[in-house]
Amino acid sequence: QVQLVESGGGSVQAGGSLRVSCAAVRYTYRTVCMAWFRQAPGKEREGVAAIYRATGNPYYADSVKGRFTISLDNAKMTLSLQMNNLKPDDTAMYYCAADSWVNCVGRVGGPYKYWGQGTQVTVSS
């Protein structure tokens, strides 16, 4: 099965930037969509951004459009999320996800099967 190993994250002041990455290993050829989710304390997990491997088209939640950029290096099977102009509301645990069947065209959520361990992003005001 697909294994996802995340890196990056950390703490930054509002207005700053951070980058999180996710290396996918094993059976990655079966992966159709990859995405980033986040979960803040006391809140439900929400989709942040997704990318459809066949076209490379990205999709974003309205809350991060214009500030976050998702990208995928297919050769290295590394998914990244560049986060700019960060806000305190972006504080959360960020998770990488992948799936072979989910439909991510035009959407950022969905029933992803494979998940990373999560990496913390903290934005102070």
Side-chain angles (χ1 to χ4, degrees), residues 7-47:
S7 60
S11 298
V12 69
Q13 289 190 326
S17 298
L18 284 173
R19 185 179 183 90
V20 290
S21 296
C22 170
V25 296
R26 294 191 187 179
Y27 308 110
T28 57
Y29 63 90
R30 298 177 180 174
T31 300
V32 173
C33 292
M34 297 189 74
W36 288 99
F37 286 74
R38 67 186 181 187
Q39 187 168 21
K43 295 186 178 181
E44 292 188 356
R45 185 176 61 196
E46 62 173 347

Side-chain angles (χ1 to χ4, degrees), residues 27-107:
Y27 308 110
T28 57
Y29 63 90
R30 298 177 180 174
T31 300
V32 173
C33 292
M34 297 189 74
W36 288 99
F37 286 74
R38 67 186 181 187
Q39 187 168 21
K43 295 186 178 181
E44 292 188 356
R45 185 176 61 196
E46 62 173 347
V48 175
I51 191 164
Y52 182 46
R53 283 192 67 191
T55 61
N57 288 341
Y59 306 97
Y60 299 97
D62 288 343
S63 59
V64 305
K65 279 181 181 177
R67 301 188 298 122
F68 290 12
T69 302
I70 187 172
S71 60
L72 176 63
D73 183 333
N74 271 302
K76 297 180 179 179
M77 276 308 290
T78 299
L79 183 73
S80 296
L81 185 69
Q82 177 66 39
M83 302 178 287
N84 298 328
N85 191 20
L86 282 160
K87 304 175 181 179
D89 283 349
D90 295 318
T91 296
M93 187 71 80
Y94 283 70
Y95 297 91
C96 170
D99 198 90
S100 303
W101 299 100
V102 71
N103 177 19
C104 64
V105 176
R107 60 186 289 200

